[in-house]
Amino acid sequence: MANSVYIDGKLVPADQATVSVFDHGLLYGDGVFEGIRVYGGNVFLLAEHVDRLYESARSIRLEIPISNQQMVSAVNETVQANGIDDGYVRLVVTRGSGTLGLDIRKTSNPIVIIIADTITLYPPEIYERGMELVTAGTIRNHPGALNPRIKSLNYLNNILAKIEGTDAGCVEALMLNHNGEVAECTGDNVFIIKDGLIRTPSTEAGILEGITRNTVIDLAREAGHEVQETTLVQEDIYTADECFLTGTAAEVIAVVSLDGRTIGDGTPGPITRDLLARFEALTRGK
Ligand code: PMP
């Protein structure tokens, strides 16, 4: 466990890092967050994650009490204080405490929390053999209700789909949008490869615009691949040559079946493996 946690402007021992039961982050899931990786003591794509945090906050009319630059410094300070070399940072900003009721004008003092810790990854055999997925019956939040672009503290939509995945013996689940199109997984973005062409749902599908997704799109294009951000349906995944997921925690991970149907030859494909190697080179200098 982390030994010190940044909360409300200072680093305190982890067991003293507490928030009020009147905090609207707890009462209503009213707040925003980010998950970031640390590789070799460096916080990977910190500026991108901090920018997304401030964008999420803006979308929900939450004013973060410190500047973007102060946030960057606080994250680095917390990582160093915990001696994290390879690990994970969780950044959380809650609406702060208020009276019972939804009115944000009756809350004060948004709380900034930074936890730097180790990370639990998917089991290594899933990276070697590839992941099996099921499609969840729970659809992704309608963008007109709670836009998936906002990384808010209300993750019940994803949790309900994840339960369906774990009930089916899978570690992830595919989520469709309100039009029945492929959106993303509960905590990862999805890509397919067909006839050498890499395709992933566009942000209009109602997804979180993953930072790993964008990094992998850049890596793929640098490697000479064509990448299309487009509409995908389940059938495109069933008939793909390769499929993989991207995410801060997952990095790049092959998917070898969806709903019991084998994708490609049922093993992690060559382009997926190449992109994972390029991602590892970028993050770990391998
Ligand atoms: N989609 C969802 C719903 C997520 O929560 C995440 C982050 N865990 C992702 C996609 C991947 O985004 P990133 O690459 O920025 O971690």
Side-chain angles (χ1 to χ4, degrees):
M1 202 174 117
N3 49 49
S4 54
V5 169
Y6 176 100
I7 182 163
D8 212 8
K10 12 179 217 309
L11 275 165
V12 302
D15 59 358
Q16 288 168 32
T18 55
V19 291
S20 162
V21 294
F22 295 102
D23 194 301
H24 282 209
L26 174 70
L27 290 174
Y28 304 114
D30 187 355
V32 293
F33 78 104
E34 276 296 321
I36 321 175
R37 285 292 278 275
V38 183
Y39 297 108
N42 293 312
V43 187
F44 185 59
L45 301 177
L46 177 55
E48 284 80 354
H49 283 279
V50 168
D51 284 350
R52 189 171 66 182
L53 181 81
Y54 279 76
E55 262 179 42
S56 295
R58 237 188 133 132
S59 299
I60 68 161
R61 307 256 308 261
L62 168 60
E63 215 168 300
I64 299 180
I66 59 175
S67 70
N68 189 304
Q69 204 41 54
Q70 284 169 321
M71 186 70 80
V72 166
S73 306
V75 168
N76 284 322
E77 194 192 333
T78 308
V79 166
Q80 275 158 25
N82 285 281
I84 300 291
D85 197 40
D86 282 290
Y88 186 82
V89 174
R90 171 55 51 92
L91 255 175
V92 181
V93 187
T94 75
R95 183 77 67 182
S97 294
T99 51
L100 296 178
L102 304 180
D103 192 344
I104 63 168
R105 294 169 306 179
K106 301 208 170 118
T107 61
S108 56
N109 301 331
I111 306 282
V112 177
I113 299 164
I114 307 170
I115 303 167
D117 212 337
T118 51
I119 178 172
T120 315
L121 303 168
Y122 291 130
E125 57 272 18
I126 295 188
Y127 284 90
E128 283 147 31
R129 283 191 232 132
M131 181 184 276
E132 301 188 331
L133 277 185
V134 286
T135 308
T138 304
I139 63 162
R140 193 73 178 97
N141 280 331
H142 190 299
L146 175 55
N147 198 317
R149 286 182 73 109
I150 304 169
K151 206 163 163 58
S152 86
L153 290 182
N154 194 319
Y155 247 53
L156 261 183
N157 178 225
N158 313 56
I159 291 166
L160 293 178
K162 176 107 176 177
I163 290 169
E164 294 185 57
T166 49
D167 281 352
C170 297
V171 294
E172 251 294 15
L174 182 73
M175 300 185 76
L176 306 179
N177 67 15
H178 55 283
N179 293 323
E181 300 155 358
V182 171
E184 58 183 335
C185 287
T186 69
D188 298 301
N189 291 113
V190 60
F191 287 75
I192 60 164
I193 302 159
K194 180 73 175 177
D195 298 329
L197 179 65
I198 303 177
R199 303 170 76 203
T200 192
S202 73
T203 51
E204 275 102 83
I207 60 169
L208 182 74
E209 188 176 351
I211 288 169
T212 320
R213 169 190 184 274
N214 293 348
T215 303
V216 168
I217 290 174
D218 289 346
L219 286 174
R221 287 187 176 144
E222 276 164 31
H225 295 290
E226 192 184 333
V227 184
Q228 275 182 356
E229 297 179 54
T230 182
T231 302
L232 293 180
V233 293
Q234 273 167 301
E235 204 60 30
D236 293 313
I237 302 185
Y238 295 146
T239 58
D241 300 325
E242 300 182 37
C243 176
F244 65 88
L245 308 184
T246 62
T248 292
E251 302 185 325
V252 176
I253 190 160
V255 175
V256 293
S257 74
L258 173 63
D259 303 327
R261 303 175 189 219
T262 301
I263 298 169
D265 70 359
T267 64
I271 297 178
T272 302
R273 283 188 277 116
D274 178 62
L275 290 174
L276 173 59
R278 287 172 191 275
F279 189 80
E280 285 184 333
L282 181 70
T283 54
R284 303 176 177 86
K286 268 192 202 164

